[in-house]
């Protein structure tokens, strides 16, 4: 009877938690792409360890336990004792250390796509603290850090809502989403920036938006239309005079041979007699397309093919030289949304974080996600 009673209570609690999580998804699952076996885990305080699939206990209630996990043909081998092919979960209230890095929340080893992946599940506020010092210098002005905290939280919330339960994780820990490395580099300013903006996200027409940002726009942010191929009202380009002091020109050269090799998929045959030109958006000064011989290539495809290292931004010009082309430009990043050095400049002249966010994301509201009526929804648009 006791077993049935506790099982019933557990089922009810899980159901209630699921309802709350759906209405206010304040937990995020982060795929730690760079964490590989063998794993050494130090668990802080009380914890519960169980089989991911069946939720049968492995070890429960110990403190400061060191767990060693290695890969095995049949799954994961824990402390040279048990082997678990269905995955393992370590639930903690006080976080853990994994391979030398401290993390908040819970750690999960989950089978996915024929491999075992590592997922850190934690509160979204703690996640933002782990993102902020890797996406913006923790020594920058507090209003810039607060703007970045809201942008990071919103971007995370957008992907939580967009993903739902399609995958066992919402984001990974790389620049594909946002750089995250647990508690590394968190300082007082980071804590303050996150705590002072707690629960705040950016919305447009009541939906959580994709708050793109980049390092330095070079004087004008770019539009989503130019970079992603679709018009988004809150991601239109704006003139940005606030990053001017940090703009440093860049130059890169490519030979005709390198161009033909890199753009082999476009069937190019560029040579000294070929016509080469660029189309520029007169409003932003950003390049929108490149013509190499008789082949038109969007600036986005041009940058992605050559890599952001060769083409740091779309604010560039192109000209022929003796044996190839010369690219000269300014700015760094895709240029859509918030310019981080611009945020620094705005904070320096005493603009607050809401001024910063509303300057770069036109027409948005900044709201407490707990106070939004109804279920949260992401503002999804499809890149062309």
């Amino acid at each position: 009877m006791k077993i049935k009673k506790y099982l019933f209570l557990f089922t009810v609690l899980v159901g209630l938690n699921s309802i709350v999580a759906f209405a206010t998804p304040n937990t995020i699952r982060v795929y730690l792409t760079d964490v590989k076996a063998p794993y050494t885990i130090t668990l802080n305080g009380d914890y519960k360890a169980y089989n991911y699939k069946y939720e049968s206990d492995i070890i429960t209630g110990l403190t400061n336990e060191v767990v060693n996990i290695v890969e095995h043909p049949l799954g994961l081998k824990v402390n040279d004792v048990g082997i678990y092919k269905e995955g393992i979960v370590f639930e903690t209230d006080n976080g853990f250390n994994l391979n030398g890095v401290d993390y908040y929340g819970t750690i999960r080893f989950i089978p996915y796509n024929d491999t075992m992946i590592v997922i850190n599940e934690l509160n979204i506020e703690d996640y933002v603290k782990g993102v902020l010092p890797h996406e913006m210098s923790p020594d920058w002005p507090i209003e810039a850090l607060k703007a970045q905290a809201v942008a990071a939280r919103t971007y995370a919330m957008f992907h939580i809502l967009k993903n739902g339960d399609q995958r066992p994780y919402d984001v990974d820990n790389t620049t594909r989403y946002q750089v995250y490395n647990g508690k590394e580099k968190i300082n007082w300013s980071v804590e303050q920036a996150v705590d002072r903006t707690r629960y705040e996200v950016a919305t447009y027409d009541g939906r959580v938006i994709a708050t793109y940002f980049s390092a330095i726009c070079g004087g004008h942010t770019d539009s989503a239309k130019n970079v992603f191929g679709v018009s988004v009202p809150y991601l239109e380009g704006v003139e940005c005079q606030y990053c001017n002091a940090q703009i440093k020109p860049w130059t890169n050269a490519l030979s005709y041979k390198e161009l033909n090799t890199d753009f082999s998929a476009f069937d190019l045959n560029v040579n000294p007699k070929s016509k080469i030109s660029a189309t520029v958006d007169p409003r932003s000064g950003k390049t929108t397309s490149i013509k190499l011989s008789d082949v038109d290539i969007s600036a986005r495809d041009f940058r992605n093919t050559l890599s952001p290292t060769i083409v740091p931004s779309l604010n560039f010009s192109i000209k022929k030289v003796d044996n190839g082309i010369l690219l000269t430009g300014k700015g760094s990043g895709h240029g859509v949304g918030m310019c981080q050095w611009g945020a620094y400049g705005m904070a320096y002249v005493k603009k607050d974080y809401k001024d910063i966010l509303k300057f770069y994301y036109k027409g948005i509201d900044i709201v407490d996600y707990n106070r939004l009526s109804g279920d949260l929804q992401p503002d999804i648009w499809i890149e062309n």
Side-chain angles (χ1 to χ4, degrees):
M1 288 296 293
K2 287 183 179 179
I3 293 176
K4 290 182 179 179
K5 178 180 179 182
Y6 289 137
L7 180 61
F8 172 76
L9 289 173
F10 176 78
T11 303
V12 170
L13 289 171
V14 168
L16 289 174
N17 285 336
S18 299
I19 293 170
V20 173
F22 179 75
T24 308
N26 56 6
T27 298
I28 188 166
R29 299 166 296 177
V30 187
Y31 173 20
L32 305 180
T33 61
D34 54 344
V35 179
K36 306 297 180 184
Y39 310 105
T40 300
I41 309 168
T42 302
L43 296 147
N44 303 324
D46 294 341
Y47 69 92
K48 178 182 178 181
Y50 55 87
N51 182 297
Y52 171 69
K53 185 175 181 181
Y54 299 110
E55 295 195 5
S56 56
D57 285 359
I58 299 171
I59 306 169
T60 302
L62 300 180
T63 58
N64 299 319
E65 176 78 6
V66 176
V67 179
N68 295 300
I69 302 176
V70 297
E71 290 181 328
H72 185 278
L74 298 179
L76 293 176
K77 190 174 184 180
V78 180
N79 283 353
D80 293 323
V81 181
I83 298 173
Y84 302 89
K85 66 179 180 180
E86 297 90 0
I88 311 168
V89 177
F90 293 91
E91 285 187 3
T92 74
D93 291 325
N94 300 304
F96 59 93
N97 181 288
L98 173 62
N99 290 2
V101 178
D102 289 320
Y103 294 88
Y104 296 102
T106 290
I107 181 172
R108 298 173 179 265
F109 299 89
I110 296 177
Y112 180 68
N113 285 349
D114 299 321
T115 189
M116 195 73 72
I117 65 173
V118 184
I119 293 174
N120 180 199
E121 184 174 305
L122 70 163
N123 182 275
I124 192 171
E125 300 300 320
D126 292 332
Y127 167 75
V128 176
K129 291 178 182 178
V131 165
L132 189 50
H134 297 283
E135 293 290 358
M136 179 175 280
S137 170
D139 299 323
W140 278 18
I142 189 65
E143 294 303 314
L145 290 171
K146 287 161 69 176
Q148 184 68 58
V150 175
R153 183 184 298 109
T154 304
Y155 197 71
M157 182 69 74
F158 172 84
H159 283 287
I160 294 170
L161 296 168
K162 182 181 178 183
N163 177 47
D165 285 322
Q166 296 178 57
R167 298 176 310 198
Y169 64 92
D170 303 302
V171 298
D172 67 32
N173 61 339
T174 72
T175 54
R176 183 181 178 188
Y177 295 94
Q178 300 180 111
V179 178
Y180 166 77
N181 198 32
K183 297 182 181 181
E184 185 182 75
K185 295 185 179 180
I186 296 175
N187 64 7
W188 182 87
S189 294
V190 169
E191 296 268 6
Q192 289 296 304
V194 177
D195 290 344
R196 292 184 192 182
T197 63
R198 183 175 296 273
Y199 308 136
E200 290 184 343
V201 295
T203 64
Y204 185 86
D205 198 22
R207 293 175 179 265
V208 178
I209 68 172
T211 42
Y212 287 95
F213 53 86
S214 61
I216 183 167
C217 69
H220 203 293
T221 64
D222 215 335
S223 67
K225 176 67 174 177
N226 191 28
V227 176
F228 304 125
V230 58
S231 294
V232 181
Y234 50 85
L235 293 177
E236 294 294 333
V238 298
E239 185 177 357
C240 171
Q241 69 271 34
Y242 297 101
C243 66
N244 287 344
Q246 302 298 328
I247 295 174
K248 296 177 177 62
W250 51 264
T251 301
N252 285 308
L254 289 164
S255 69
Y256 293 124
K257 181 179 179 180
E258 288 173 321
L259 271 177
N260 290 328
T261 299
D262 290 338
F263 289 92
S264 59
F266 292 83
D267 197 25
L268 280 185
N269 184 21
V270 184
N271 57 63
K273 295 182 180 180
S274 300
K275 292 182 179 180
I276 296 175
S277 62
T279 301
V280 175
D281 180 346
R283 182 166 172 263
S284 69
K286 303 295 180 76
T287 296
T288 58
S289 65
I290 303 291
K291 177 165 278 191
L292 301 174
S293 293
D294 294 322
V295 179
D296 288 312
I297 302 171
S298 71
R300 174 180 57 168
D301 289 342
F302 185 80
R303 181 173 187 257
N304 290 341
T305 300
L306 291 178
S307 85
T309 302
I310 302 298
V311 189
S313 78
L314 295 183
N315 197 336
F316 69 92
S317 61
I318 184 171
K319 71 175 183 178
K320 293 171 64 175
V321 291
D322 292 341
N323 61 344
I325 63 169
L326 187 69
L327 303 173
T328 303
K330 57 185 181 179
S332 178
H334 52 62
V336 178
M338 186 174 71
C339 169
Q340 291 173 304
W341 273 107
Y344 177 99
M346 291 186 74
Y348 186 78
V349 296
K350 308 304 181 185
K351 301 289 186 181
D352 74 15
Y353 74 101
K354 291 185 178 180
D355 293 331
I356 295 170
L357 292 165
K358 291 183 178 183
F359 177 78
Y360 290 108
Y361 308 106
K362 296 299 185 185
I364 65 163
D365 295 305
I366 299 169
V367 301
D368 181 329
Y369 62 71
N370 290 305
R371 297 181 180 179
L372 289 174
S373 60
D375 292 332
L376 294 175
Q377 298 290 334
D379 187 48
I380 297 175
W381 38 270
I382 307 299
E383 295 183 19
N384 293 328

